[in-house]
Amino acid sequence: MIVDRPDEYLLSILQELRKLPSETEWVEFKHNNDNPEEIGEYLSALANSAALLGKVNAYMVWGVENTSHDLIGTVFRPKTCKIGNEELENWLLRLLFPKINFKFYELTADDLPIILLEIGAAFRHPVQFQGTEFIRIDSYKKKLKEHPEKERELWRVFDHTPFEREIAAENINTEDVLRLLDYPAYFDLFQLPLPEGRDGILSTLQADEIIEKGNSGKWNISNLGAILFAKNLADFLGLKRKAVRVIVYKSDNRVETLREQEGTKGYACGFEGLITFILGLLPSNEVIGQALRRDVPMFPELAIRELVANAVIHQDFHITGTGPMVEIFTSRMEITNPGLPLVTTERFLDSPPKSRNEAIASLMRRIGVCEERGSGIDKVVFQTELYQLPAPIFETTAEHTRTVLFAHRELKEMDKGDRVRACYLHACLRYVQRDFLTNASLRKRFGIEERNKATVSRYIREAVETGTIKPFDKAASRKMMKYVPHWA
């Protein structure tokens, strides 16, 4: 059920929507268009598209320019709009079937009036307006019957309820909700004031679908709420094995374990503590720079944060008996999560973000745990280059995805596989920055002096021969040669 939300929360939603590269199938931007029938058709289309894409909500926004997403303001006022003698909201609700949750919010951003319409995703049945079902195809509103492949896909979605919407604890009283969930952490992470009464706390948690109304005035805690804000994941039977395990080994194999600990808190409220715990287990390297000596963790903190966030957010929760795991060896770290990625590992760095757990990803983005534009892996590769570490490995097993970070090794200690992988990821990083791999850029990546450019040319040749990179222009002179990933 959609309830009143604080202005700070609504403005954060508006900011997130404006950062999207273009209109999507679950977001529509308008200026002043107040045609009630068109609004009703968009309610149907956006609700159905949100369900198809696994979104919790879809949105219409008045007062944002369609292409640039600049704030321009609007004269549309839904509260004063009537069809005959009937208020717009009641008229829309009467003509929608099945009934869905939607709500208009009036905001002020940069002193401009903005209208945000929040639309709950369709659930169990496609939403009709005046007897017709609509869907979004790219940024266009179409009749669902004209796209039978979308209709079949939508019905398949209704047959599979997303993990986040499943119930972790059913029909519990208010005291148990507040006992099981770390609700103060929720308000701290979203930088919201803690409401004075229980009703304010519960309504805010309900607005983000952390909890929902149960039977007889009781509450259900969703998987979304439990996995992110549980005080103790063990209190939720189905989620106990999803706690993050951290294991430290004595050497570079798994024969002898020095320490093993399993997390207890939900991912959102426990994330900072988890990262601090991992960093405290890492040995340090002494770095000399600008005439100062300082100790830094063996692996860059930013890289660890991004990879741990990816592991918990993008895992497949329906794979039972396993959860995210961080393993620390003497010269490497492995971060593993259940589930195969939605994009191939070799395209992690350049592919648009995809997540099988959209609601979890959205909340974790809003509290700043993970990237919202898919640049997390870019940062991981950049950090390994900045600290001149061996390139990371992204790999899969039968049911898991794993990333391997390596401790510092001198270039002469790296084998051909290490060098080729470093060349490939360097080319990918340069490519997403609209640039190219060159002899000079690779020398900087490896920390090699200019007089040894012939050595770097040999490394580039190795990568070209293995088919991981290719010349951008084969006809270019040797000195002007540039390289891109093989798929570019």
Side-chain angles (χ1 to χ4, degrees):
M1 180 180 178
I2 296 176
V3 299
D4 288 333
R5 300 179 185 273
D7 283 349
E8 294 84 355
Y9 173 89
L10 296 170
L11 290 171
S12 72
I13 290 286
L14 175 64
Q15 184 179 11
E16 188 172 333
L17 297 178
R18 290 179 60 211
K19 289 179 180 178
L20 293 171
S22 62
E23 280 189 351
T24 71
E25 294 175 337
W26 54 282
V27 179
E28 173 71 16
F29 295 106
K30 294 291 184 187
H31 184 194
N32 291 319
N33 191 329
D34 60 355
N35 185 300
E37 292 189 354
E38 188 170 347
I39 294 172
E41 292 175 0
Y42 271 113
L43 277 167
S44 167
L46 291 167
N48 291 332
S49 293
L52 190 61
L53 297 170
K55 299 290 184 180
V56 176
N57 296 305
Y59 298 90
M60 283 187 73
V61 186
W62 285 263
V64 174
E65 203 279 325
N66 186 46
T67 304
S68 66
H69 295 181
D70 291 338
L71 296 172
I72 55 177
T74 182
V75 297
F76 174 45
R77 294 293 181 271
K79 290 183 179 179
T80 60
C81 184
K82 290 188 176 183
I83 298 86
N85 293 322
E86 192 172 7
E87 293 181 355
L88 173 63
E89 194 164 339
N90 291 336
W91 183 82
L92 291 169
L93 188 62
R94 180 169 56 82
L95 296 177
L96 288 168
F97 180 83
K99 307 301 183 189
I100 58 171
N101 293 311
F102 67 89
K103 189 173 181 64
F104 290 96
Y105 294 97
E106 296 186 3
L107 305 173
T108 300
D110 292 348
D111 296 324
L112 294 170
I114 304 293
I115 301 297
L116 177 69
L117 172 58
E118 187 175 49
I119 306 162
F123 188 62
R124 293 201 177 104
H125 298 280
V127 175
Q128 303 175 359
F129 178 72
Q130 292 185 324
T132 303
E133 300 159 354
F134 294 86
I135 194 72
R136 292 266 283 188
I137 305 297
D138 296 325
S139 61
Y140 298 97
K141 170 171 55 68
K142 302 288 185 180
K143 292 181 179 179
L144 182 59
K145 293 295 184 183
E146 296 174 356
H147 298 272
E149 75 287 352
K150 291 286 187 181
E151 186 175 16
R152 288 192 297 269
E153 189 177 352
L154 185 58
W155 278 107
R156 284 196 294 268
V157 168
F158 292 142
D159 290 337
H160 297 85
T161 304
F163 166 83
E164 296 103 320
R165 291 185 178 176
E166 296 172 3
I167 302 303
E170 189 173 20
N171 290 326
I172 59 176
N173 57 37
T174 298
E175 289 73 18
D176 285 333
V177 169
L178 302 181
R179 176 180 60 83
L180 293 171
L181 297 181
D182 191 353
Y183 63 91
Y186 171 92
F187 290 95
D188 286 343
L189 290 170
F190 286 110
Q191 299 180 358
L192 298 172
L194 184 66
E196 293 184 3
R198 290 182 173 185
D199 289 345
I201 294 172
L202 295 172
S203 64
T204 306
L205 296 179
Q206 184 184 12
D208 259 334
E209 302 194 357
I210 304 300
I211 60 175
E212 63 180 43
K213 285 286 188 181
N215 298 325
S216 303
K218 295 193 175 181
W219 296 94
N220 299 333
I221 297 178
S222 66
N223 277 344
L224 174 67
I227 201 67
L228 294 183
F229 294 103
K231 290 181 180 178
N232 190 342
L233 285 169
D235 291 332
F236 302 90
L237 185 61
L239 302 180
K240 182 178 180 180
R241 292 299 301 273
K242 299 304 177 184
V244 180
R245 291 173 61 204
V246 180
I247 306 173
V248 182
Y249 299 101
K250 185 176 182 179
S251 62
D252 272 332
N253 58 50
R254 294 180 172 86
V255 174
E256 189 172 350
T257 300
L258 292 179
R259 185 169 183 176
E260 179 172 355
Q261 184 156 329
E262 190 169 84
T264 58
K265 293 185 177 181
Y267 296 156
C269 61
F271 188 80
E272 289 301 328
L274 173 62
I275 297 301
T276 300
F277 178 72
I278 292 172
L279 293 174
L281 296 174
L282 298 178
S284 299
N285 287 331
E286 187 177 63
V287 173
I288 302 175
Q290 302 295 323
L292 295 174
R293 293 175 179 266
R294 61 191 180 97
D295 287 336
V296 299
M298 180 180 289
F299 309 103
E301 177 181 348
L302 183 56
I304 295 172
R305 294 179 70 90
E306 294 293 342
L307 292 174
V308 172
N310 280 347
V312 300
I313 291 169
H314 300 304
Q315 66 180 295
D316 187 344
F317 285 98
H318 291 108
I319 297 179
T320 59
T322 181
M325 183 164 59
V326 178
E327 297 174 285
I328 301 172
F329 302 84
T330 54
S331 64
R332 74 182 190 279
M333 171 187 286
E334 298 187 4
I335 300 170
T336 307
N337 64 270
L340 300 179
L342 300 181
V343 297
T344 61
T345 55
E346 69 171 4
R347 301 298 295 273
F348 271 8
L349 199 144
D350 76 293
S351 293
K354 292 184 179 181
S355 176
R356 57 171 55 89
N357 306 303
E358 284 288 350
I360 292 175
S362 177
L363 282 177
M364 294 290 266
R365 280 196 296 267
R366 284 167 47 206
I367 63 175
V369 166
C370 71
E371 285 294 321
E372 56 186 318
R373 293 176 300 278
S375 61
I377 297 299
D378 305 29
K379 290 186 176 182
V380 172
V381 175
F382 177 81
Q383 288 289 306
T384 57
E385 291 195 355
L386 180 65
Y387 287 86
Q388 294 182 357
L389 304 178
I393 293 177
F394 306 106
E395 61 186 7
T396 59
T397 65
E399 287 190 326
H400 293 78
T401 302
R402 177 182 296 124
T403 299
V404 185
L405 292 176
F406 296 95
H408 178 75
R409 288 204 304 267
E410 296 294 333
L411 182 59
K412 61 184 178 182
E413 297 174 344
M414 297 185 192
D415 59 23
K416 180 180 177 180
D418 292 330
R419 297 193 298 268
V420 168
R421 191 172 66 254
C423 286
Y424 172 69
L425 289 177
H426 181 67
C428 292
L429 187 61
R430 300 282 287 182
Y431 184 78
V432 298
Q433 296 170 348
R434 300 296 189 265
D435 210 336
F436 305 94
L437 180 153
T438 63
N439 189 289
S441 72
L442 197 59
R443 288 202 310 271
K444 183 178 180 181
R445 187 266 180 261
F446 284 128
I448 297 176
E449 296 181 357
E450 184 177 2
R451 66 173 182 267
N452 294 321
K453 65 172 67 174
T455 300
V456 175
S457 295
R458 177 165 59 87
Y459 296 160
I460 294 174
R461 189 165 59 251
E462 289 176 343
V464 172
E465 290 172 352
T466 58
T468 56
I469 66 172
K470 64 182 181 181
F472 175 70
D473 181 4
K474 293 183 178 180
S477 66
R478 185 176 178 182
K479 289 185 178 180
M480 300 300 293
M481 192 65 75
K482 302 175 182 177
Y483 300 88
V484 294
H486 69 88
W487 42 260

